Amino acid sequence: MKTAVLITIGDEILSGNTVDTNSNFIATQLKEIGIKVLSIFTIPDEESAIIATLKKAFGMADVVFTTGGLGPTKDDITKKAYADFFEDEMVFSDEVYEHLRTYLEKRNRLWILDHNRDQAMVLSKAKIFLNFYGTAPCMILEKNGVYCFSLPGVPYEVKPLVKDQIIPFLKEKLALDSIVTRIVSVVDIPESILSETIEEWELALPKHISLSYLPIGSRVKLRLTGTGKSRTILEKELDSEIQKLIPLIGENIIATHEDKIEKILGELLIGKKLTISVAESCTGGELAHLITSVAGSSAYFLGGIVTYATQKKIDILNVNPRTVEDFTVVSEQVATEMATGCQSLFKTDIAVSTTGVAGPGRGEDGKDVGTVFYTVRIEGGEVTSKLFLPHLERLDFMNFVSQKILQDIVSLLIKKNKSPQLY
């Protein structure tokens, strides 16, 4: 199997001011063509650090990627470090300069062309991939049989360079194995018990198929990864292994083909021709965000509302003021009435509500941070649940609760079907 090392360059990454999303994207793309990422390094904008890490990477992998440090400012020194490492010199590229001029002219920014002239300086031995979404090109260099790609750091520039130019280049240049991954989503069973339950099955897996446990909220994703020459054979082998797994934990499996819970839910809703709406408080729109992040969600998601203030729960969702007075706004009773009002408002088959305290301070009714009640109302029936998550920060709380609710909906829909299809 071919291997890769990713190097992220930038003080802003190390300081925590910027999140490195490039490495995740590149690793995912490489996995699809059978290249395994061995290590990801994050280093400062220092020439010595770049050179030292390049030396280490070239001793480990078949492919090396660097991202960042290619801008026009003085702290962007990646090209200088490359010149030292590859014992090469910088030359002016008429092709890159003309591309840069055209790019800036189309955006009415030709006045900064002279300030970006250094972007047209490239290593003399480098093959160039032009950047159609930015000013810094991608340089490709080869040393001792290892290909090295120098990419800009802006994610929306990295993605098309990798997908449209680098991946086809690697597929042409390297003899690559196939890697096939399947995710089995498991709920309502602790990871330790799950491991014991499927231990015999796991130990019997072929050597070219690996298993990983990936907890996400209260769900465990079992990731099966097969490596070999034939993608078709690998897909059949993974299907066979999953069929052996189903008799062991079938009642806990909610999906065998899809990864993200919002996509699993979407496929179920489309298959059952059901619609859904949400009335949110403590989740602040995260439920609606997850549901609508799936392409085609307009087929089943009719709408959502964030009734953050107590009075708006009363005014819009018809929550009874007496219910709030008797039980407080963060209560099972209010969650139930919110879901009923939501279903009435949007006329959907399924309605979901959330009311709780995301923090950092206590709620207006004195409830502890991390308390949440949510109701899932499916047609005429409903289930109301409580969670207490005081250890989670505000945004993590919103995401966890929203993921858990979608997971519960999926479980409820599958249980309503006597012979569930696993999505």
Side-chain angles (χ1 to χ4, degrees):
M1 178 187 292
K2 299 299 182 182
T3 57
V5 168
L6 312 184
I7 304 170
T8 301
I9 302 168
D11 295 332
E12 70 281 3
I13 302 289
L14 290 169
S15 69
N17 292 330
T18 301
V19 177
D20 173 27
T21 59
N22 289 326
S23 293
N24 174 268
F25 174 79
I26 295 171
T28 300
Q29 292 295 309
L30 292 177
K31 180 183 68 175
E32 292 297 319
I33 62 169
I35 297 178
K36 180 180 180 180
V37 173
L38 298 178
S39 293
I40 300 174
F41 298 101
T42 302
I43 60 175
D45 287 294
E46 297 175 2
E47 185 177 355
S48 60
I50 297 172
I51 293 173
T53 310
L54 282 171
K55 287 180 180 178
K56 186 172 184 178
F58 268 69
M60 297 171 60
D62 303 294
V63 181
V64 176
F65 284 79
T66 66
T67 58
L70 296 180
T73 56
K74 292 182 175 60
D75 64 334
D76 292 314
I77 58 172
T78 299
K79 284 194 286 191
K80 187 177 186 304
Y82 262 64
D84 290 343
F85 178 76
F86 288 100
E87 298 178 335
D88 199 358
E89 61 179 357
M90 305 297 296
V91 297
F92 184 82
S93 168
D94 291 327
E95 179 190 17
V96 174
Y97 184 77
E98 178 57 26
H99 171 76
L100 180 62
R101 188 193 66 76
T102 303
Y103 176 86
L104 294 174
E105 186 175 36
K106 286 181 179 179
R107 289 156 180 79
N108 296 317
R109 301 183 68 193
L110 196 57
W111 59 274
I112 66 169
L113 180 61
D114 288 342
H115 298 280
N116 285 264
R117 185 180 177 85
D118 284 348
Q119 300 278 51
M121 299 296 293
V122 298
L123 295 182
S124 68
K125 301 174 185 177
K127 175 180 175 61
I128 301 299
F129 285 154
L130 295 176
N131 180 357
F132 297 102
Y133 298 89
T135 59
C138 170
M139 296 187 299
I140 305 98
L141 293 113
E142 187 268 338
K143 183 177 182 179
N144 299 328
V146 177
Y147 288 103
C148 185
F149 301 87
S150 175
L151 286 158
V154 182
Y156 68 76
E157 298 177 25
V158 168
K159 289 181 179 181
L161 279 167
V162 172
K163 289 173 64 177
D164 301 338
Q165 299 188 70
I166 294 175
I167 293 299
F169 176 86
L170 290 172
K171 289 170 72 173
E172 178 185 344
K173 295 292 183 180
L174 303 179
L176 300 172
D177 287 335
S178 292
I179 297 180
V180 178
T181 299
R182 287 280 294 278
I183 299 288
V184 178
S185 288
V186 182
V187 299
D188 300 330
I189 179 170
E191 186 179 353
S192 56
I193 296 177
L194 173 62
S195 178
E196 291 179 7
T197 304
I198 66 173
E199 181 179 12
E200 186 175 342
W201 169 83
E202 181 179 352
L203 293 174
L205 287 172
K207 290 184 178 179
H208 64 282
I209 297 178
S210 63
L211 176 69
S212 300
Y213 293 76
L214 307 172
I216 175 170
S218 60
R219 177 166 55 116
V220 177
K221 296 192 294 186
L222 297 175
R223 183 176 65 194
L224 285 157
T225 303
T227 306
K229 297 298 180 183
S230 170
R231 186 176 187 88
T232 301
I233 292 175
L234 286 173
E235 289 174 345
K236 290 180 179 179
E237 288 180 325
L238 291 180
D239 280 337
S240 175
E241 294 302 332
I242 291 172
Q243 289 305 311
K244 297 175 187 176
L245 179 65
I246 290 174
L248 303 177
I249 54 169
E251 63 182 17
N252 300 104
I253 296 175
I254 61 171
T256 61
H257 288 81
E258 187 50 74
D259 182 0
K260 295 184 177 181
I261 192 67
E262 56 268 30
K263 289 188 176 181
I264 297 171
L265 175 63
E267 291 181 4
L268 270 172
L269 294 176
I270 288 175
K272 295 176 178 294
K273 298 181 180 179
L274 298 174
T275 57
I276 189 170
S277 58
V278 297
E280 302 183 63
S281 185
C282 62
T283 46
E286 180 66 14
L287 264 175
H289 168 71
L290 283 173
I291 295 171
T292 57
S293 68
V294 178
S297 56
S298 59
Y300 48 84
F301 183 71
L302 299 195
I305 187 167
V306 180
T307 50
Y308 213 63
T310 300
Q311 189 60 45
K312 295 305 175 184
K313 295 177 177 66
I314 296 169
D315 295 342
I316 300 173
L317 298 174
N318 291 320
V319 171
N320 192 324
R322 186 64 181 267
T323 304
V324 177
E325 182 180 340
D326 290 346
F327 300 101
T328 77
V329 70
V330 178
S331 64
E332 175 183 352
Q333 292 78 7
V334 167
T336 299
E337 292 189 15
M338 286 176 66
T340 302
C342 180
Q343 193 168 46
S344 175
L345 181 65
F346 289 102
K347 305 295 188 294
T348 52
D349 302 299
I350 303 171
V352 186
S353 67
T354 65
T355 179
V357 187
R362 285 174 177 264
E364 62 186 59
D365 57 2
K367 290 288 174 62
D368 289 332
V369 172
T371 303
V372 58
F373 291 91
Y374 61 91
T375 296
V376 177
R377 185 173 177 81
I378 300 180
E379 297 173 338
E382 63 190 22
V383 178
T384 300
S385 305
K386 178 185 178 181
L387 293 173
F388 183 52
L389 307 164
H391 58 291
L392 294 183
E393 294 185 358
R394 185 178 180 84
L395 295 181
D396 293 333
F397 169 88
M398 291 178 173
N399 183 259
F400 182 98
V401 172
S402 299
Q403 292 271 348
K404 179 66 167 65
I405 291 171
L406 297 189
Q407 175 184 301
D408 284 4
I409 299 170
V410 169
S411 296
L412 288 169
L413 290 174
I414 289 178
K415 288 175 182 177
K416 284 170 70 69
N417 189 339
K418 293 181 181 179
S419 181
Q421 177 183 355
L422 297 177
Y423 290 86

